[in-house]
Amino acid sequence: PGGTFTTQDITFRPLQLKFSVTSGVEKTISVGITGTNYTIDWGDGTIETNQTGGTKSHIYNAGGSGTTSIPTISIGAENDTGPVTNFTCNGNTDLLDVVAWGSLVYSGSWHSLFKNCTNLAPQISATDAPNITSISIFGDTFSGSPFNSNIDNWDVSSNTNISNLFKNATSFNQSLNSWSTNNVIYMNGMFDGASAFNGDISNWDTSSVPSFSAMFYRSTNFNKDVSSWDVSSCTNFFFMFRQASNFSKNLAGWYVNGLNAGITNMLDMFRQTSMTSEQFTDTIVGWAVAVRRDSAPYNINCATVSPSSFDATRTQDTDNSGNSVNYSTKYGSDWDSNWTNAGDARQFLLDNGWTVS
C-alpha cells in the first residue's frame, strides 16, 4: 500500500534471422551455430530440437513445390537445456534482416559476423540490444555490409578489437558516442571506406589504443571533433585521415600530456583532407611544444602530412570552437622564449629529426 508495483518480462526470446527464399523455388539456407541442446524453428513448420553446434542447413520448397517465402528462422527456445552462445552469417547474401537478438548471452568473437552480407537491411527490425558483454572481438563485423542501424545502446565495454568494424560499410552513419571503449586496443581501419560516416565519437576513451592506422582512411564525410581524445598510447598514425576529404580540425591538443616515445609513423596522416593552413600550422605547433616539454619523441616521419601550406609567420592558435589565443599565452612556460612564430616551432621538430612536409 502506497508503493509502486513493476513487472519485468522474463519470457525467453529466440534469436530471429530473416532470409531470402522465393515461393516455388528450392533454396538451401545455412547458419553456423555455437551451442548445445537447442531448438531451431525454420519458419516453414519445421522445428528441430536437441541440436548441438556446427552448421545447420535446411531445404525450402524442395523440388520447387513449396510455398515458403522470406522465412524467419528462430534459434533457441524457452525449454532448451543447453545455451546458444553464438552464430555466424559471414558472406551470406541471403540474410535479409535481424528480427530480434533475443535472450541469448553471446560470447566469444563476432569477427566478420556480417561481413559482405550485402543484402542485410540497413535498418534492421530488431528493437532489442544483444547481450554482448562477453564478446571481446568485433573486427570486420559489418565490413562491406549496408548496415545503418542505431547501435549506440550496445554494451561494448568488454571489447578489445573493433578494427575494420565498418570498413567499406558505405551506408553507416550513426552516433556511437555512448560506447564505452576504455578496453579497446585495436581501432585501425575501423571506418576505412565508410564514406557516409560522420557520427559523434568525441567521448571515446582511446587511452589504450596503440594504432589508429587508416582509421578514417577514405571516410570522406567524417568531420567530427576528436581533439579531446587521449592518444598517449598510440605509436602508429599511418594514413589515419588520408582521403577523409571533409576532415578539417585542429589536433594540437592531442599531445598536451606528451607524445609517446614509441611513435613509428605519421606518414600521410592528413593527406587529402580539408585541413586549413591555420589548422595544420596550429597542430604542428602543438606537437612541437609537447616534444620540447617532454624531450621526446624524435625522428618522426610526418612526410606529406597535410595538403595545406604551413604558415611559418603564424603566432595565433585557433581551436575548433573558433577561439583564438597567442601561442606563448596558450602554452606558457612550455613555449620556448626563443620562438617568435610557428616557423620556429616547426624548425625545432626538423632539428630533432622530424620529417614534416
Side-chain angles (χ1 to χ4, degrees), residues 86-91 106-117 132 134-143 154 159-167 186 188:
N86 220 329
F87 69 104
T88 57
C89 289
N90 184 4
Y106 299 96
S107 63
S109 169
W110 271 16
H111 187 275
S112 300
L113 181 63
F114 299 111
K115 183 177 182 179
N116 296 328
C117 290
I132 50 177
S134 295
I135 296 287
S136 60
I137 299 175
F138 289 87
D140 282 290
T141 298
F142 297 106
S143 177
W154 284 16
N159 179 274
T160 61
N161 186 343
I162 51 179
S163 61
N164 300 322
L165 178 58
F166 298 104
K167 184 175 182 178
Y186 304 102
N188 49 290

Side-chain angles (χ1 to χ4, degrees), residues 7-336:
T7 63
Q8 179 181 2
D9 182 7
I10 58 174
T11 303
F12 178 87
R13 293 168 290 106
L15 166 66
Q16 294 186 305
L17 306 171
K18 184 177 290 186
F19 287 87
S20 175
V21 173
T22 302
S23 176
V25 178
E26 182 175 309
K27 186 74 165 286
T28 299
I29 297 295
S30 300
V31 182
I33 303 173
T34 303
T36 57
N37 299 316
Y38 58 84
T39 299
I40 302 179
D41 184 338
W42 291 101
D44 64 349
T46 303
I47 300 175
E48 297 179 339
T49 60
N50 299 318
Q51 300 296 298
T52 297
T55 298
K56 303 300 177 182
S57 299
H58 182 66
I59 299 175
Y60 291 92
N61 306 323
S65 60
T67 59
T68 299
S69 177
I70 316 296
T72 295
I73 299 174
S74 297
I75 301 171
E78 188 167 11
N79 294 321
D80 289 346
T81 58
V84 173
T85 58
N86 220 329
F87 69 104
T88 57
C89 289
N90 184 4
N92 195 328
T93 57
D94 294 318
L95 178 66
L96 301 179
D97 195 5
V98 179
V99 178
W101 296 105
S103 304
L104 308 184
V105 179
Y106 299 96
S107 63
S109 169
W110 271 16
H111 187 275
S112 300
L113 181 63
F114 299 111
K115 183 177 182 179
N116 296 328
C117 290
T118 53
N119 290 311
L120 178 66
Q123 300 293 332
I124 63 173
S125 299
T127 58
D128 57 343
N131 185 336
I132 50 177
T133 56
S134 295
I135 296 287
S136 60
I137 299 175
F138 289 87
D140 282 290
T141 298
F142 297 106
S143 177
S145 83
F147 185 79
N148 188 34
S149 293
N150 183 357
I151 55 176
D152 200 26
N153 64 334
W154 284 16
D155 182 353
V156 299
S157 56
S158 297
N159 179 274
T160 61
N161 186 343
I162 51 179
S163 61
N164 300 322
L165 178 58
F166 298 104
K167 184 175 182 178
N168 295 324
T170 56
S171 298
F172 187 76
N173 186 25
Q174 300 287 334
S175 171
L176 299 172
N177 216 27
S178 296
W179 277 18
S180 175
T181 58
N182 57 297
N183 287 318
V184 176
I185 298 175
Y186 304 102
M187 287 188 179
N188 49 290
M190 182 176 181
F191 299 105
D192 176 5
S195 54
F197 181 70
N198 193 33
D200 190 0
I201 50 178
S202 58
N203 288 336
W204 279 13
D205 181 347
T206 56
S207 59
S208 298
V209 179
S211 175
F212 294 105
S213 175
M215 184 173 182
F216 299 102
Y217 177 41
R218 304 180 301 157
S219 184
T220 53
N221 195 44
F222 184 73
N223 191 33
K224 284 294 188 286
D225 189 356
V226 292
S227 60
S228 63
W229 280 11
D230 179 351
V231 296
S232 57
S233 294
C234 184
T235 61
N236 189 353
F237 296 90
F238 177 70
F239 270 38
M240 183 176 183
F241 295 99
R242 182 168 182 177
Q243 294 184 32
S245 54
N246 199 42
F247 185 75
S248 179
K249 299 297 180 187
N250 173 1
L251 296 180
W254 264 12
Y255 297 91
V256 293
N257 293 320
L259 287 161
N260 184 286
I263 289 177
T264 57
N265 205 336
M266 289 182 172
L267 180 65
D268 287 346
M269 183 178 177
F270 299 124
R271 190 172 186 175
Q272 295 169 283
T273 69
S274 290
M275 287 184 76
T276 65
S277 175
E278 293 78 12
Q279 290 167 338
F280 176 48
T281 302
D282 291 345
T283 296
I284 295 298
V285 168
W287 295 356
V289 169
V291 170
R292 177 186 177 276
R293 180 191 64 212
D294 301 323
S295 302
Y298 299 136
N299 305 315
I300 303 303
N301 182 3
C302 285
T304 322
V305 73
S306 174
S308 299
S309 60
F310 185 88
D311 183 1
T313 63
R314 185 168 171 79
T315 59
Q316 299 285 328
D317 170 273
T318 303
D319 64 21
N320 291 319
S321 297
N323 301 312
S324 181
V325 63
N326 182 276
Y327 284 142
S328 58
T329 300
K330 176 178 179 179
Y331 295 112
S333 60
D334 291 328
W335 181 258
D336 191 323

